[in-house]
Amino acid sequence: MSSASNTPVSVTELNRQVRALLEGSFPILWVSGEISNFKRYGSGHCYFSLKDATAQVRCVMFRQRATLLDFEPREGMQVQARVVVTLYEARGDFQLTVEALRPAGIGGLFEAFEALKKKLDAAGLFDPARKRSLPAFPRAVGIVTSPKAAALRDVLSTLKRRMPGLPVVLYPCAVQGLAAAGEIAAAIRAATARAEVDVLIVCRGGGSLEDLWSFNEEEVALAIAASPIPVVSGVGHETDFTIADFVADVRAPTPTAAAELVSPHRGEWQNRLRLIGARLQRDLLRTVQTRMQQLDGLSRRLRHPGERLAVQRERLDMLQRRLRQLPVRQLSMLGDDLGRARQALAYVKPDLPARHAALGALQARLHQALRRHAERQQARVAQLSGRLTALNPEAVLARGYALIERPDGAMVTRAAALHGGDGLRLRFADGTVAAEVTAADGTQQKLF
């Protein structure tokens, strides 16, 4: 824009040019100061001022960037902001658009955190493929934390509530301070060497980044990665993230949540077992009912031996009729063949003596075949008759036995079915005799 121009410009155009000038003149830079008048709106955007002893500047942090914060900005907090210098055109307000925000004085820790995170990620320690699932029913749970930590009380109370009697082994260590990282790693290695638990909780309560820094040390990360026991990290609050969270097999937002992840809920499993038992009982009842119906069907298919004998008699009669009819049909067919042969002979005027001789031979073979066939059929009839006789209950009567029947013809098979005064009919091989039961108590019976 020319400095000597006399052409007026609108306020909008002026603010637009000033904004472009500011954003083009200043690179993205870090600004330190104290938060003042912080407010987060329902849209997720954050508005506040950064101030020092003699000046202040308005700032805006839009929702996309604000959701990435791993701490909650508070009034009076000293912070470092990564900003773009700009102008809010609608009001002509000079302001800073905040791209990132971190507590002041720990920028080096953030940088160390990011550097170690990238290193371990490149080494494959964050790879989901190497992480293991937690046991559904651990025999014992190990806890790596300080005996004085409030997190330990939360974990123990949660385990007792969810699964009373679940063995717990504490591997004590410091969770804050210069020696804490070494003690945490040593406790994890001790749990691995003793091999007395099925899952391991590494936990402590919330705090500042400095308080949680022991869980961002490479020594702790390597100990977690080397542990053959599945590890659950429950460090800090839900918004706190540490290197231990990324390396562990499972990250829990709080120590209490870690205890819930490793312990089955006794009440829930009892309800589940009750449901399974009820389902098994229903299935068993359904199976029994189905088998009873099948048994009823099979019972209906059973037939009395007398009915089977009647069917066999009918079949024997049919075979006898077919046997008697077979020679007649065969003779008729052979006679027809002989007649056709004679007619053909009459037309062709064959050699009669030779034909007569052949005919005689055929007749002899025919008679011989009929005789053999009749013998076989007679033998089969005799065999079937013998089998029928063997199945005939009346054949037993000839050996001195008798059949006991009621006057209506029903068979009597049990003495308990008789009562004094019952009329009976005794069937022998050569006839029947009427009888009467005079006593049916099993001690004295007289038939006459």
Side-chain angles (χ1 to χ4, degrees):
M1 183 177 66
S2 173
S3 59
S5 174
N6 293 322
T7 304
V9 297
S10 64
V11 175
T12 300
E13 179 62 21
L14 176 63
N15 286 350
R16 185 188 65 79
Q17 293 185 21
V18 171
R19 175 184 178 184
L21 181 62
L22 288 173
E23 293 179 354
S25 301
F26 289 90
I28 297 177
L29 70 159
W30 287 91
V31 177
S32 63
E34 177 184 327
I35 293 178
S36 175
N37 299 321
F38 180 85
K39 186 172 184 181
R40 187 191 298 267
Y41 286 86
S43 61
H45 305 321
C46 300
Y47 297 89
F48 58 94
S49 296
L50 280 180
K51 67 179 183 178
D52 57 18
T54 59
Q56 67 177 5
V57 61
R58 291 183 179 180
C59 301
V60 58
M61 191 173 194
F62 294 109
R63 178 175 58 86
Q64 292 83 353
R65 298 292 183 176
T67 55
L68 300 178
L69 290 176
D70 56 1
F71 70 99
E72 183 64 27
R74 298 186 302 272
E75 191 76 15
M77 178 182 287
Q78 292 290 332
V79 295
Q80 294 175 348
R82 187 169 180 263
V83 302
V84 174
V85 179
T86 185
L87 182 80
Y88 181 40
E89 297 180 25
R91 294 181 180 175
D93 291 338
F94 171 71
Q95 68 177 20
L96 304 178
T97 300
V98 180
E99 298 289 325
L101 196 65
R102 65 191 184 193
I106 56 174
L109 293 180
F110 272 109
E111 293 175 0
F113 176 89
E114 291 296 331
L116 181 58
K117 182 179 176 183
K118 291 180 181 179
K119 175 183 176 181
L120 297 181
D121 190 13
L125 270 64
F126 301 165
D127 188 359
R130 59 164 291 275
K131 298 189 177 184
R132 295 152 298 185
S133 58
L134 304 181
F137 295 96
R139 294 171 300 173
V141 175
I143 304 175
V144 175
T145 192
S146 170
K148 300 178 181 180
L152 177 60
R153 294 192 296 272
D154 295 339
V155 170
L156 292 177
S157 62
T158 301
L159 293 176
K160 183 177 180 180
R161 170 175 53 83
R162 291 177 60 85
M163 184 57 71
L166 179 64
V168 177
V169 179
L170 175 64
Y171 301 96
C173 62
V175 293
Q176 184 174 340
L178 296 178
E183 292 188 23
I184 295 170
I188 295 173
R189 289 192 291 268
T192 298
R194 289 160 60 176
E196 55 193 351
V197 298
D198 293 333
V199 65
L200 199 61
I201 297 176
V202 178
C203 65
R204 67 148 288 162
S208 64
L209 181 60
E210 296 97 325
D211 296 337
L212 303 180
W213 191 253
S214 299
F215 298 90
N216 290 322
E217 295 286 356
E218 184 174 4
E219 183 179 6
V220 174
L222 295 177
I224 293 175
S227 171
I229 304 172
V231 176
V232 178
S233 174
V235 179
H237 300 303
E238 186 170 357
T239 56
D240 296 324
F241 281 87
T242 65
I243 296 296
D245 293 333
F246 296 107
V247 181
D249 296 288
V250 178
R251 183 230 176 214
T254 63
T256 299
E260 293 176 349
L261 286 173
V262 303
S263 59
H265 195 288
R266 184 179 64 174
E268 294 176 358
W269 279 101
Q270 287 175 339
N271 293 335
R272 185 177 300 182
L273 289 175
R274 280 194 291 269
L275 292 175
I276 293 174
R279 189 181 307 118
L280 287 174
Q281 187 174 6
R282 290 195 302 270
D283 293 343
L284 180 60
L285 179 60
R286 189 182 305 111
T287 301
V288 171
Q289 293 173 346
T290 301
R291 293 294 183 265
M292 292 174 62
Q293 292 179 351
Q294 292 175 349
L295 181 60
D296 293 340
L298 293 174
S299 299
R300 289 192 294 269
R301 292 172 59 185
L302 289 175
R303 292 189 297 177
H304 192 275
E307 296 179 3
R308 299 184 63 183
L309 287 174
V311 172
Q312 293 292 337
R313 288 194 188 97
E314 293 178 359
R315 184 179 179 187
L316 181 60
D317 293 340
M318 179 187 67
L319 292 174
Q320 289 176 339
R321 290 193 299 271
R322 291 175 60 186
L323 182 62
R324 287 192 296 269
Q325 295 172 358
L326 182 60
V328 176
R329 288 199 300 270
Q330 288 185 340
L331 287 174
S332 176
M333 293 172 60
L334 291 173
D336 293 341
D337 292 341
L338 183 59
R340 286 192 294 272
R342 286 175 177 173
Q343 291 177 358
L345 181 61
Y347 283 109
V348 299
K349 298 184 181 298
D351 183 2
L352 292 180
R355 295 291 182 166
H356 280 301
L359 182 59
L362 289 174
Q363 288 177 341
R365 289 175 60 189
L366 174 62
H367 290 308
Q368 186 178 4
L370 289 175
R371 185 174 62 257
R372 286 197 301 268
H373 181 74
E375 291 173 354
R376 285 195 299 269
Q377 294 300 324
Q378 288 174 357
R380 179 173 175 77
V381 170
Q383 182 184 9
L384 292 175
S385 297
R387 290 173 60 185
L388 182 61
T389 301
L391 294 174
N392 188 357
E394 295 182 357
V396 181
L397 301 181
R399 296 198 294 271
Y401 294 93
L403 296 177
I404 302 175
E405 302 176 345
R406 293 186 183 277
D408 58 1
M411 299 296 296
V412 179
T413 60
R414 298 173 60 250
L418 297 176
H419 302 85
D422 287 353
L424 301 174
R425 184 171 60 191
L426 306 182
R427 183 150 60 94
F428 297 91
D430 57 350
T432 60
V433 175
E436 181 181 351
V437 178
T438 60
D441 58 1
T443 60
Q444 181 180 0
Q445 296 185 2
K446 181 178 180 182
L447 301 176
F448 61 90

